[in-house]
Amino acid sequence: MLTSYTAVLFDHPGLAQSALVSRPSGVHYVRLLERLLALLDEGEVPPGQAAWGVDLLLQYATSTAAEHSAPNNSADADARWSALTDAIQNANPQTHPLVARHATALLAGEPSARLSWGFRTLITGIENTPLTS
């Protein structure tokens, strides 16, 4: 469900960007919250953690879509990706030893796999991190 939601945001970049700066409150947003809470409840996530967790899950989906849905003509997107990979692959091991050591892993993985991993990581954390008073 979260992957589908993110895909909708990818398809409508303006929606993703506006969701970052506004508080959605319409019937579709309430329906989305209800479904997410139902899924977390089905997974036996404690209610308070689920309630706070939906914020994290939706923020991650929205920010990911907003970041990747910037105006994206192919040449510009390719140039930005090339600049990023070049910077990471050529990180100076003297000044940035961890970036140099993890360069391959930093650039690895299909976007869909990374998105799915992010959601699973958040859900595991939401499930296992009690609320503080």
Side-chain angles (χ1 to χ4, degrees):
M1 179 187 167
L2 288 163
T3 301
S4 295
Y5 172 71
T6 308
V8 168
L9 295 177
F10 269 103
D11 291 342
H12 303 282
L15 182 60
Q17 292 164 354
S18 69
L20 285 176
V21 296
S22 66
R23 286 235 179 245
S25 59
V27 65
H28 298 295
Y29 180 72
V30 173
R31 187 177 302 135
L32 177 63
L33 288 177
E34 181 69 23
R35 185 67 184 126
L36 283 173
L37 289 168
L39 289 168
L40 292 169
D41 185 62
E42 186 178 307
E44 299 181 1
V45 174
Q49 289 159 229
W52 286 17
V54 294
D55 283 344
L56 289 175
L57 293 167
L58 293 174
Q59 286 172 13
Y60 176 67
T62 304
S63 63
T64 298
E67 175 188 10
H68 293 286
S69 64
N72 232 357
N73 70 44
S74 183
D76 188 44
D78 290 346
R80 286 194 318 262
W81 178 251
S82 181
L84 172 64
T85 59
D86 184 57
I88 291 173
Q89 290 171 339
N90 295 307
N92 182 330
Q94 301 303 313
T95 57
H96 301 92
L98 296 174
V99 173
R101 184 172 15 151
H102 296 290
T104 300
L106 284 167
L107 299 168
E110 292 296 316
S112 61
R114 292 177 73 106
L115 181 68
S116 179
W117 179 85
F119 285 130
R120 288 191 321 273
T121 301
L122 284 171
I123 291 167
T124 300
I126 290 164
E127 180 180 26
N128 291 294
T129 307
L131 299 181
T132 57
S133 48

